[in-house]
Amino acid sequence: MNLKSPLIFTFILSLLSIIGFSFMATLINKYDIIQFDSTVISFIQGFESPMLTIIMKLFSFIGSTSSVIVLSFLSCFFSIKYCTIDQN
C-alpha cells in the first residue's frame, strides 16, 4: 500500500490550514476585520428564530469538552473493533 500520496496531501492541507489561521489571527489582532465581522453578525442575526436557537444549542453541546471526549472514545472504540487492516 502506497502511503506517500495521502501523507503528502495531509501535510499540504495542514500547512494551508496553519497559514490561513495565522492570516486570520493577524487580521483580528490588527482590528482590520471588525467591519467584516459586523457585516457577518448582522446577516446571521437576521435568521434568528426560536427553533434555530435550539438547533445551535445542540451544536454547542456536541462541541463541548465532555461531548468531544465521549465521541472521541466511541470513535476510537468502533474504529478498533470494526476496522481491521490486513497485515499480509
Side-chain angles (χ1 to χ4, degrees):
M1 182 175 188
N2 186 6
L3 290 178
K4 188 174 183 179
S5 221
L7 289 177
I8 290 173
F9 175 74
T10 304
F11 176 75
I12 291 172
L13 186 63
S14 299
L15 192 60
L16 289 173
S17 296
I18 289 171
I19 291 169
F21 179 79
S22 300
F23 179 71
M24 290 298 293
T26 302
L27 286 178
I28 289 170
N29 191 30
K30 291 183 177 180
Y31 299 103
D32 291 341
I33 203 163
I34 290 175
Q35 178 61 36
F36 171 76
D37 198 30
S38 298
T39 304
V40 171
I41 288 172
S42 297
F43 177 75
I44 297 297
Q45 284 179 340
F47 295 108
E48 192 173 352
S49 70
M51 182 55 124
L52 189 58
T53 300
I54 292 170
I55 293 169
M56 291 302 118
K57 283 184 178 182
L58 175 67
F59 281 123
S60 294
F61 173 74
I62 291 171
S64 69
T65 303
S66 57
S67 294
V68 169
I69 290 171
V70 170
L71 290 173
S72 296
F73 278 123
L74 287 174
S75 176
C76 288
F77 172 75
F78 285 112
S79 294
I80 291 169
K81 183 170 173 97
Y82 294 109
C83 296
T84 59
I85 299 174
D86 189 13
Q87 296 292 329
N88 294 331

